[in-house]
Amino acid sequence: MQPLLIVLAAAYGAAAGLLVPRPLYRLAVEPGEPWRADCPRGHAFTGPAHGWLGPARCPRCTQSEAAYGPGPLLPALLTALVCAALTAAVGPRPELAVWLLLTPPAVLLAGVDRAVNRLPDVLTLPMAGSAAALLGAAAPLPHSAGSWPRALLGGVVLGGAYLVLFLISPRGMGLGDVKLALTLGVALGWYGWAVLFWGGFAGVLLGSLYAMALVLARKAGRGTPLAFGPFMILGAGAGLVLGALGTG
């Protein structure tokens, strides 16, 4: 059962990852600019969810110009690997469905932040609410391995910690990071306070090491804005894997 579940989760992740490039292209704009509403050659987006869902190919462009935005293979591979790793660690527990549903938007957020140093509210705030609601639905089911009240408190704690970091150093931390921390705190808090601490700490550590490496390589200065969201997500993912294994 477990190998089949991992294969199915990886297939789901690959399929969901193929849909990441279009919303990534649409959302990767500078603050204050509207989301992109058409392809690079001016054709309006069409399709499900008002053009937000679908492959990053324009049916009205020529074959050589149809593709736009980032290629689909890397998001598909990353999403598949994350879904497979989470499934291998969590197994057939109710919360697995929550992690699998949150993985594609997390990959999307990481891509947008990496592209334009921005974590859009249109993703971060619904993710926080969805994580809390879905875990609330999973908590009373048989074989669930976490605590919903602790998950809610975890969101408050990690969000508050990032708010303090933002107030101390607004140049090094954005409000988007604070809002993302709400979701990550809810997820990490589900498995325990130690998981919350190490998952949150891993994100800060990875981001700090990356920033230090760029400064030492003279590719960035102390005031250079850096995308911190991908490291927060990576650290939280590692925390979830370790937390699930610790409750097995």
Side-chain angles (χ1 to χ4, degrees):
M1 179 64 180
Q2 186 89 339
L4 176 60
L5 191 61
I6 294 172
V7 170
L8 292 175
Y12 154 79
L18 290 174
L19 300 178
V20 165
R22 181 189 286 197
L24 198 163
Y25 172 78
R26 296 193 64 176
L27 291 171
V29 297
E30 297 298 329
E33 295 184 11
W35 311 130
R36 292 189 176 103
D38 46 40
C39 81
R41 283 153 291 282
H43 299 130
F45 291 113
T46 59
H50 302 287
W52 286 96
L53 293 179
R57 293 185 65 84
C58 178
R60 288 186 283 174
C61 288
T62 63
Q63 186 66 24
S64 61
E65 296 179 330
Y68 57 84
L73 293 182
L74 182 57
L77 179 61
L78 285 175
T79 311
L81 287 175
V82 172
C83 289
L86 288 170
T87 303
V90 178
R93 296 175 183 159
E95 66 265 23
L96 175 63
V98 182
W99 310 147
L100 295 183
L101 287 173
L102 292 177
T103 295
V107 172
L108 173 58
L109 267 175
V112 173
D113 198 20
R114 185 176 181 275
V116 292
N117 293 325
R118 184 183 184 188
L119 293 166
D121 290 351
V122 71
L123 288 177
T124 54
L125 297 179
M127 277 183 67
S130 298
L134 290 171
L135 287 176
L141 297 178
H143 309 299
S144 65
S147 166
W148 187 53
R150 187 177 58 215
L152 297 181
L153 287 174
V156 174
V157 169
L158 193 62
Y162 270 86
L163 178 60
V164 171
L165 291 176
F166 168 73
L167 294 175
I168 293 174
S169 179
R171 290 187 177 182
M173 192 74 60
L175 279 175
D177 299 313
V178 177
K179 295 166 188 174
L180 174 60
L182 295 173
T183 301
L184 302 183
V186 168
L188 292 168
W190 172 262
Y191 284 128
W193 295 114
V195 174
L196 174 69
F197 173 80
W198 288 113
F201 176 74
V204 174
L205 178 63
L206 291 171
S208 300
L209 290 176
Y210 177 72
M212 188 181 302
L214 289 181
V215 171
L216 292 177
R218 297 184 179 180
K219 295 183 178 180
R222 299 189 65 176
T224 303
L226 298 174
F228 204 69
F231 301 102
M232 295 172 62
I233 293 170
L234 180 60
L240 285 181
V241 168
L242 294 177
L245 291 175
T247 57

